Each structure stands twice: as structure tokens, then as C-alpha cells.
């Protein structure tokens, strides 16, 4: 069957290839699920893998099938599968467990090992192919009523984890009740984080460079949050105007902005970093000032990567609630479809060149 793959370590090696069809019996104990892939989302991670910044083939192979944001339909289940049945719409988690205690209790996103296993990213093949097989533990059902949001399930799981982790950590404060949040970046993670924070009842300011109105600012407004163009009002000006934030989510992809955000956080607040910055940028920061304010304000800096099954499930609940609260807004994120696996070059072109493409995804097959 067809698959979109790269040769890890070799820049711009994206190509179409023929790979063997998976066998449901490769999963032990009758727990296998065979999924027909319908759509797969791609993002900066795929672009950076094709730039050979990271990504590794599974042992024994010299290629890596791309794609970690999948949406599909169950075709066949093993005799001991209970969670899903043929015909169900599903997505799948990205990470697979390593050997640490965290991996053994289903929190593989928290592995303490340096080596991590991620489908379509590191050491495991991804979903940009016609079908895949996996154990039911990693398959998450998508309600039929959310099928129009298809490839948003995985990015949403990352937003759900990032914010869930902040609340979890802030139980240290006993009575933490954040009022104001800043979201830095209006890409998919920024916009989905905006949604989650709004559903938590916060006043949300979502920041990105370009002055509105444009699609991103309209989506932010549609979620009843405030869009701030940093070319008009930078973070310092915003803070002077509305005060510091209780919670900041950085999803800019810029380590400079991630550090800059430290100066916009109020006492007892939490700053969450979610971006994978593959480059080598260096930035000067006012370290004395940040240090003293961090200590005097009991502030928290938290990194959050990936997600496990629980975050997929809570993210899906928030998408469902979001659809009821703000009907029709979230699907506007899904800007840029590509038709079929054969069009892998167009997929990469949109990812690399098209600034108006908020979300690129491949229509792999019809139902
Ligand atoms: C994915 C995450 C993954 C991360 C780092 C992101 O694009 O959405 O699931 O953990 O890249 O590999
Ligand atoms: Zn991703």
C-alpha cells in the first residue's frame, strides 16, 4: 500500500513508497484494531523531520512513514477488543510506551527515559498511509458528531494536556482561581488552547504578529477571546494595559518569545511551554530581574509534551462543548486539504510556503 515517507537524516527526502499492509494479528492477545485512514493532519513537526532536524526510522528500516495526527474508521477488531467496533470513527495517540514506570501506567507522555517512541516522528512509522494496526489501548473513539473536526483531535490533546497540567500543578496554591490568560501564538495549539481556557471561564488574550482582521483573529473573536496583534501591542504594552496573566500558554515556536513570556506572568502564576524548537537560537534575557520576580512571586514554569489517552478524551469533550458554545468556529482552523497520498509534494509546499495555511491535512481516502 502507499505511504508518504522520509529518509531520516537526509534533508528534503519526502517521497511516496510502497509498504506492506499491516496484519491485525501482529498485536498480541486479540487486542488489535485495523483502521482505514481517512485524513491525516501535518504540521511544523513534519516539516522539521523533512528538514532532517530530528526523526528516526524504526529499527531495521531505512525510512520513516510520516503523519502523527490521524483520523480514520475502524475496519476490523480482534476478538478481545472492547472499546471500539467496525465502523467507528477513531483517532490514535502518538507516543508508545518505553520502559519506565510512567510508561507502564499509561502515562507514556511522561516517560523518564531519554528515548521516546512516537508514531510518524521517532522510531515508529506514522499514519500517512492507507491503513494501520494498533492495540486498542491507543485507539480513541471520535464521536460521529465531531467527524467534521477530524484531524484536530491530536493537536487538541496537546492543548488539553498543557492546560490540565497547569491546573494539576497549581493545586499547590490551594485556592488557585485564574482570571486572565495569555496565549502566545495563534496556530492550531494556540487556538485550541484559547478554546480550553474559555471553557474554564477565563478572560483570554491570544497574541500573534499580524494585525487583524484575518482568519486567526476571526477565530479568536468567534471563541469570545481577545485577539492582540503584537505588531501593534506587544506583550509589555498588553501587560501595562490589562495587567499580568495568571496563566500563560506559549505556542509560538519561538524560544525567544517563550522566555519573554516570563516577564508577563503575575504572582502565583503558571507559564506553560508547548513548542518544540528544533533550531539553535540564542537569546539574551534580563536574568536578574526574572530570577527575583520568579522567586518573590512563587511562579511556575512548566514544559508539556505530547499527550496520553486521558488528554485525548478530555480534549474531545472540550471540542464537543466548544461546538455547542461556538458553533462552526473550530472547523475554520481546517484550512488546507490536499487530495490523496500522491500529492505529497503539494502537502510539503503548503507546509513550507503558504503562510495562510493554518492547518494542512491530507484527504487519504473517502469513507
Ligand atoms: C506532536 C506531539 C509530539 C511532538 C514532539 C508534535 O507535533 O503533536 O505529539 O510529541 O510533536 O515530537
Ligand atoms: Zn503535531
Amino acid at each position: 500500500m502507499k505511504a508518504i515517507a522520509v529518509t531520516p537524516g537526509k534533508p528534503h527526502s519526502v517521497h511516496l513508497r510502497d509498504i506492506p499492509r499491516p496484519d491485525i494479528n501482529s498485536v498480541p492477545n486479540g487486542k488489535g484494531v485495523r483502521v482505514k485512514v481517512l485524513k491525516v493532519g501535518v504540521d511544523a513537526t513534519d516539516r522539521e523531520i523533512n528538514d532532517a532536524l530530528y526523526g528516526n526510522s524504526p529499527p531495521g528500516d531505512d525510512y520513516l512513514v510520516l503523519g502523527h495526527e490521524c483520523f480514520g474508521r475502524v475496519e476490523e477488531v480482534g476478538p478481545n477488543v472492547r472499546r471500539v467496533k467496525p465502523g467507528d470513527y477513531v483517532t490514535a495517540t502518538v507516543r508508545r510506551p518505553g520502559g519506565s514506570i510512567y510508561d507502564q501506567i499509561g502515562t507514556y507522555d511522561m516517560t523518564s527515559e531519554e528515548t521516546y517512541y512516537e508514531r510518524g516522528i521517532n522510531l515508529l512509522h506514522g499514519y500517512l498511509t492507507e491503513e494501520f494496526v494498533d492495540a486498542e489501548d491507543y485507539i480513541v473513539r471520535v464521536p460521529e458528531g465531531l467527524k467534521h473536526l477530524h484531524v484536530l483531535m491530536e493537536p487538541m490533546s496537546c492543548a488539553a494536556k498543557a492546560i490540565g497540567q497547569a491546573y494539576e500543578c497549581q493545586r499547590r496554591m490551594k485556592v488557585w482561581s485564574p482570571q486572565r490568560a495569555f496565549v502566545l501564538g495563534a496556530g492550531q495549539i494556540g487556538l485550541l488552547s484559547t478554546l480550553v481556557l474559555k471553557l474554564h471561564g477565563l478572560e483570554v488574550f491570544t497574541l500573534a504578529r499580524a494585525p487583524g482582521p484575518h482568519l486567526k483573529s476571526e477565530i479568536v473573536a468567534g471563541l469570545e477571546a481577545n485577539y492582540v496583534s503584537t505588531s501593534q501591542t506587544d506583550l509589555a504594552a498588553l501587560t501595562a494595559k490589562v495587567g499580568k496573566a495568571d496563566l500563560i500558554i506559549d505556542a509560538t515556536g519561538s524560544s525567544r518569545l517563550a522566555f519573554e513570556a516570563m516577564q508577563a506572568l503575575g504572582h502565583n502564576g503558571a507559564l506553560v511551554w508547548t513548542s518544540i524548537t528544533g533550531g539553535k537560537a540564542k537569546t539574551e534575557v534580563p536574568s536578574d530581574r526574572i530570577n527575583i520576580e520568579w522567586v518573590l512571586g512563587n511562579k511556575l514554569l512548566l514544559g508539556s509534551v505530547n499527550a496520553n489517552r486521558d488528554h485525548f478524551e478530555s480534549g474531545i469533550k472540550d471540542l464537543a462543548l466548544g461546538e455547542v458554545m461556538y458553533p462552526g468556529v473550530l472547523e475554520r482552523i481546517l484550512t488546507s486539504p490536499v487530495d490523496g497520498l500522491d500529492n505529497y509534494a503539494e502537502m510539503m509546499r503548503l507546509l513550507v510556503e503558504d503562510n495562510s495555511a493554518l492547518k494542512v491535512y491530507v484527504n487519504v481516502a473517502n469513507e
Side-chain angles (χ1 to χ4, degrees), residues 338-359:
V338 174
D339 252 331
L341 294 167
D342 296 311
N343 278 321
Y344 65 90
E346 172 65 1
M347 172 191 97
M348 272 300 159
R349 191 196 65 77
L350 286 168
L351 264 182
V352 175
E353 290 172 22
D354 190 343
N355 287 331
S356 67
L358 184 43
K359 183 74 216 164

Side-chain angles (χ1 to χ4, degrees), residues 30 38 63 71 75 174 209 280 297 365:
L38 299 176
Y63 65 94
F71 175 73
E75 291 270 284
K174 315 292 184 227
R209 209 168 313 148
K280 293 194 167 56

Side-chain angles (χ1 to χ4, degrees), residues 168-200:
E168 182 82 8
C169 293
Q170 291 294 77
R171 286 162 61 181
R172 72 191 173 115
M173 305 305 310
K174 315 292 184 227
V175 292
W176 196 61
S177 169
Q179 304 295 310
R180 186 182 310 115
F182 295 163
V183 176
L184 308 187
Q188 53 175 357
I189 301 293
L191 294 171
L192 294 170
S193 296
T194 300
L195 168 67
V196 178
L197 293 165
K198 283 300 299 180
L199 295 177
H200 273 92

Side-chain angles (χ1 to χ4, degrees), residues 43 45 68-69 94-95 116 118 121 154 158 276 305-306:
D43 67 4
T45 297
H68 60 273
E69 304 173 358
V94 179
R95 249 203 213 168
Y116 59 91
E118 289 182 343
I121 300 173
E154 196 277 339
C158 295
I276 308 281
V305 70
N306 199 265

Side-chain angles (χ1 to χ4, degrees), residues 1 30 63 86 96 104 122 145 152 206 212 221 225-226 230 243-244 258 266 268 282 288 303-304 342 352:
M1 60 179 185
Y63 65 94
R96 294 294 172 270
Q104 286 160 33
N122 209 36
L152 290 184
T206 302
N226 306 285
T230 51
K244 291 184 174 178
N268 296 350
K282 292 188 176 155
D288 271 352
S304 177
D342 296 311
V352 175

Side-chain angles (χ1 to χ4, degrees), residues 110-146:
M110 295 299 210
T111 189
S112 57
E113 297 180 338
E114 292 287 328
T115 305
Y116 59 91
Y117 303 86
E118 289 182 343
R119 289 198 68 153
I121 300 173
N122 209 36
L123 301 168
L124 298 169
H125 289 310
Y127 305 116
L128 268 167
T129 181
E130 293 172 45
E131 50 182 63
F132 68 90
V133 161
D134 220 326
E136 72 162 338
D137 292 356
Y138 311 117
I139 306 289
V140 183
R141 185 159 177 194
V142 176
E144 170 120 27
L146 287 184

